[in-house]
Structures are given as structure tokens and as C-alpha cells.
């Protein structure tokens, strides 16, 4: 059974760096084809894809946020960490991590965490 | 990579069919058949409804179907039901191994 859970600080002050952790179980990020992505959603707004890290440590970022994002994995601890620098109020929202596999569900994000609400406020 | 374009809202009466479009480019929707659709009720986690353009995960009603032509994908809900009222998002895998979501569509059952 695949589960994911996001954790991170809130509130975050403007200009600070946000560090979010995705802790998962039921799969290994060292298995061929596996990836974990991050998606966010400001209150009342659309989903936005942020980043993904693959089993082979390949990393991809949203072009609009590329300069602010870093995604890493700790395979032994079953965790993925996303950092976002220079936080602003427009970054307030719910942040989700999600699983995907190259060979299943057409590379869609099939399992999601419950999300963590990040508030940026001074 | 800009967000995929969806209509902001679509509505229909119970029993009717509605279609939501999702327009991208040759770098995303047009590049692969890796287009998915999610349903999201208020305050809930998005639920995968369609993957790989027209495949339904186990447990998803066959009233939901997907298609694609060129750079545009579509989600059709037939036999519209009250519980279908939600936000719907398309997402596409891209030719640089990243992803891009659609702008989202609010479905209202009249």
C-alpha cells in the first residue's frame, strides 16, 4: 500500500527558504521507473506542478520556478525534500507530494499525500 | 512551458453530457499520449479519473471518458450526476520529462 505524507513549517516569513519533506512508504525511490513529484495549489486557485525526481536522480523543475527550487531524495529514509527560496505571500497554498511510475497509469501521479498548508506571512 | 488551457467553467443538467477541453502544444499534449485528468472536490485531494488519454483506473465510473486530437485533449462526462460537480484538471507529461497542469474547469450540475 502506497502512502505519502508532507511535512513542513508554517508560517514562513517572506524571503525565507521553505523546506518541505515528503515521507513515503509502500515503494522504493531506487526502483526503476519510480518518481515523486510536488504540486501546489494556492487557495481557490489551480493546481501547479513544481518538480519531480526520478529513481535515477534525474530532476525536473517548473520553468517558471526553476531558479528557486531544489528537489532531493534520501532513498534510505524514504523521503523527498523540496526547498523553495525567497518565499513570498503568493507562495501561500497547499503543497502535495505524489508518486508516479513510468510503467503504470501512463506516468500520471497515482498516489497523493494529504497536502500541507504553507502560509507565508510576516 | 505555459499552463494548458481549459475553459473556466462548464455546466449541464443531470443526465446530460459535457465535454471539457484541454489545449496544449506539440511539446506536451501533442508529444505523447500521457495526458491525465483529475477530479477535485472542495477541500479534497485530487483524484485520478483518466490516464494515458483514455484509460480509467479501477473504480472510476465508465461515464468518464477521454480523447485526444493533435494538441488538444478532452474529458467527457456522460449521464451527468450531482456528485460530478467538482473542479477538473488536465495534466500532460512533456518532451523534457516534466509536467504541466491545465488551468482547471469548474463543473456545475444545474
Amino acid at each position: 500500500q502506497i502512502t505519502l505524507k508532507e511535512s513542513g513549517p508554517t508560517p514562513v516569513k517572506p524571503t525565507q527558504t521553505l523546506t518541505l519533506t515528503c515521507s513515503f512508504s509502500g515503494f522504493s525511490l531506487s526502483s526503476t521507473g519510480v518518481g515523486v513529484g510536488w504540486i501546489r495549489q494556492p487557495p481557490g486557485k489551480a493546481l501547479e506542478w513544481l518538480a519531480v525526481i526520478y529513481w535515477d536522480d534525474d530532476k525536473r523543475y517548473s520553468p517558471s520556478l526553476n531558479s528557486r527550487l531544489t528537489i532531493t531524495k534520501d532513498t534510505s529514509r524514504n523521503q523527498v525534500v523540496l526547498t523553495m527560496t525567497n518565499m513570498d505571500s503568493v507562495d501561500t497554498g497547499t503543497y502535495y507530494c505524489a508518486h508516479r511510475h513510468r510503467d503504470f497509469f501512463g506516468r500520471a501521479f497515482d498516489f497523493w499525500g494529504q497536502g500541507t498548508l504553507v502560509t507565508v506571512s510576516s | 512551458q505555459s499552463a494548458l488551457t481549459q475553459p473556466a467553467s462548464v455546466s449541464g443538467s443531470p443526465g446530460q453530457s459535457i465535454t471539457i477541453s484541454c489545449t496544449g502544444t506539440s511539446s506536451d499534449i501533442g508529444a505523447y499520449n500521457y495526458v491525465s485528468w483529475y477530479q477535485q472536490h472542495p477541500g479534497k485531494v485530487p483524484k485520478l479519473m483518466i490516464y494515458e488519454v483514455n484509460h480509467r483506473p479501477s473504480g472510476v465510473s465508465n461515464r468518464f471518458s477521454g480523447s485526444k486530437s493533435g494538441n488538444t485533449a478532452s474529458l467527457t462526462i456522460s449521464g451527468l450526476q450531482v456528485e460530478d460537480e467538482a473542479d477538473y484538471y488536465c495534466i500532460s507529461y512533456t518532451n523534457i520529462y516534466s509536467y504541466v497542469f491545465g488551468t482547471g474547469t469548474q463543473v456545475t450540475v444545474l
Side-chain angles (χ1 to χ4, degrees), chain A residues 74-95:
Chain A
D74 185 332
T75 304
S76 62
R77 299 180 67 181
N78 283 347
Q79 290 182 334
V80 170
V81 174
L82 180 76
T83 62
M84 180 180 291
T85 61
N86 195 24
M87 293 292 285
D88 183 83
S89 58
V90 299
D91 297 312
T92 292
T94 298
Y95 286 71

Side-chain angles (χ1 to χ4, degrees), chain B residues 26-110:
Chain B
S26 58
S27 297
D28 37 66
I29 292 179
Y32 302 106
N33 284 331
Y34 295 133
V35 179
S36 309
W37 291 88
Y38 291 86
Q39 176 192 65
Q40 187 181 34
H41 287 107
K44 300 297 186 182
V45 177
K47 176 186 177 183
L48 181 63
M49 304 300 285
I50 294 287
Y51 66 94
E52 219 165 345
V53 175
N54 57 11
H55 292 79
R56 281 187 307 276
S58 174
V60 172
S61 171
N62 59 9
R63 298 185 298 103
F64 292 84
S65 61
S67 63
K68 189 188 95 165
S69 178
N71 298 334
T72 298
S74 298
L75 174 73
T76 297
I77 309 174
S78 57
L80 199 62
Q81 298 182 0
V82 172
E83 58 262 36
D84 300 332
E85 189 162 290
D87 294 326
Y88 291 83
Y89 296 92
C90 59
I91 180 174
S92 177
Y93 190 63
T94 78
N95 63 356
I96 55 170
Y97 314 130
S98 62
Y99 291 83
V100 59
F101 271 102
T103 50
T105 298
Q106 182 177 57
V107 168
T108 302
V109 181
L110 302 172

